[in-house]
Amino acid sequence: MLAPWQHGQISIRLVRQRDARVLQEELLANRAWLQPWEATTPGTRPSFDMRSGVRRLLQQYRDGVGIPLVMEYEGEVAGQLNVWGIARGSLSTATIGYWVSERFAGRGITPTCVALATDVCFSDFGLHRMEICIRPENVASLRVVDKLGYRYEGLRKAFIHIDGDWRDHHCFALTAEEVPDGVLRRWLEGRVPPGIGLKP
């Protein structure tokens, strides 16, 4: 079981089945805030049944293809961060996706948790490359990758079905060699190369 990782009052830990209720409440309470950025499945209605959702995520963790985490602030669930699409072998890569409740926005929770999760994937799970894909309209998430020094790699057309349609995404990535001391430490020490996350 993945141990909690923490910086100050902000932490990430593996999701538990008993988190389903609070996650469902946060998702429902934050519809207007989250809906424009939520992945959808063509031809189906969104489901907010987090009991089955958490079960599915934990099965993916047991299968080694995902790491489902909750983001916490002062011990309270603030959002969710999923490492998904883990590929081993010659790729050794994965993708990070996340959401945070509106009432916790602006407290540095998301960049801290993304940095912690990236470091965990490099150090504890032995991955080589981490990727984050963001809609061009998602200014808040674009700020996260810029702060942390995720490197811009290009545009993926109609990449993910979001809020009812296929949406373009900007792709950002980091490899373990780029952050030998860790993403969190590099950010906190002000050593992120300026403009590395900006689109050319």
Side-chain angles (χ1 to χ4, degrees):
M1 189 67 76
L2 183 66
W5 281 65
Q6 185 166 354
H7 174 71
Q9 299 299 315
I10 299 170
S11 62
I12 55 172
R13 62 167 173 80
L14 193 68
V15 71
R16 300 184 288 245
Q17 194 62 54
R18 64 178 176 267
D19 294 319
R21 182 184 56 79
V22 67
L23 288 170
Q24 184 167 308
E25 288 173 356
E26 290 295 330
L27 284 170
L28 291 172
N30 283 266
R31 296 313 308 130
W33 169 255
L34 296 173
Q35 186 173 339
W37 321 115
E38 285 180 344
T40 46
T41 302
T44 66
R45 294 172 59 95
S47 170
F48 301 102
D49 177 12
M50 286 306 294
R51 283 188 182 84
S52 62
V54 170
R55 277 197 301 273
R56 185 177 64 253
L57 289 170
L58 288 172
Q59 185 61 54
Q60 291 172 359
Y61 176 66
R62 289 189 290 271
D63 293 341
V65 296
I67 309 168
L69 304 165
V70 292
M71 304 190 291
E72 291 187 324
Y73 182 75
E74 296 181 344
E76 189 175 359
V77 173
Q80 196 173 2
L81 186 153
N82 288 319
V83 178
W84 58 276
I86 294 177
R88 295 290 183 176
S90 57
L91 285 177
S92 192
T93 187
T95 299
I96 289 178
Y98 50 82
W99 60 265
V100 67
S101 296
E102 186 173 14
R103 63 197 177 98
F104 288 104
R107 304 189 197 188
I109 296 168
T110 302
T112 302
C113 290
V114 170
L116 285 168
T118 305
D119 289 343
V120 166
C121 287
F122 287 154
S123 63
D124 289 30
F125 288 87
L127 294 176
H128 171 253
R129 179 181 179 278
M130 298 301 296
E131 179 177 285
I132 298 176
C133 297
I134 301 169
R135 286 185 60 183
E137 303 87 350
N138 194 341
V139 175
S141 277
L142 291 172
R143 282 198 299 267
V144 170
V145 291
D146 188 45
K147 284 179 186 177
L148 299 181
Y150 263 74
R151 176 178 28 77
Y152 180 68
E153 290 196 332
L155 180 69
R156 294 186 178 174
K157 296 290 290 181
F159 180 54
I160 302 176
H161 201 268
I162 301 281
D163 191 26
D165 203 357
W166 294 103
R167 312 289 183 174
D168 296 348
H169 281 68
H170 290 303
C171 178
F172 303 84
L174 271 178
T175 61
E177 293 86 354
E178 292 175 270
V179 283
D181 298 324
V183 179
L184 183 64
R185 182 172 174 183
R186 183 178 74 163
W187 174 44
L188 295 176
E189 292 179 355
R191 294 187 286 111
V192 174
I196 194 170
L198 298 178
K199 302 177 295 299

